[in-house]
Amino acid sequence: MPWDSDVDVHVSADTMHFLASYYNMTVHTCRTAHAPRGKNYMLEINPKWVNNSPGDSLNTIDGRWIDMLSGVFIDLTAVHQKPKHPGIMFCKDSHRYREADLFPLRDSVFEDRPVKIPYNYAELLQEEYGRVSLTRTKFAG
């Protein structure tokens, strides 16, 4: 992605709870045309993911999806409902979202794979990275 140096995925707190409860430290094999024998990935959920306080600066990443051969990973962060503020969601890195900006998710494609993206992705990208995030094809950061 031209606007960031890594890949981050947000999941609902309910989904993170499910992943932590049933799939933490499990290995999954993904076979593709580029890797017909498959590549192994491990799902690692931080046991501190339940602490959604922004003050927990040592545990801002809630989980990782890790390529077991290269060590390259995708960060996973839980998005929580903000208590007493219906329709507002947050994650422990102090990002705030309107639920209507996230849902319903849209179907899209990322690196030739089907993915789900936030409903109001353009506004969210511009807010985080500026207007050039929708047109810039190179990132120097």
Side-chain angles (χ1 to χ4, degrees), residues 57-105:
S57 62
L58 297 177
N59 289 293
T60 58
I61 301 303
D62 295 321
R64 289 206 162 122
W65 188 242
I66 305 166
D67 180 323
M68 294 182 66
L69 183 62
S70 69
V72 171
F73 55 84
I74 296 171
D75 289 335
L76 305 175
T77 303
V79 180
H80 305 265
Q81 289 284 340
K82 187 161 177 68
K84 301 179 185 173
H85 294 89
I88 301 297
M89 304 185 83
F90 73 99
C91 37
K92 66 172 90 175
D93 65 2
S94 298
H95 282 86
R96 302 283 183 267
Y97 305 100
R98 290 182 324 121
E99 191 170 4
D101 286 337
L102 301 178
F103 300 105
L105 295 174

Side-chain angles (χ1 to χ4, degrees), residues 3 120-135:
W3 55 78
N120 198 2
Y121 68 92
E123 185 174 313
L124 293 170
L125 285 172
Q126 288 181 69
E127 185 177 304
E128 181 77 13
Y129 302 105
R131 290 183 53 86
V132 297
S133 65
L134 299 178
T135 57

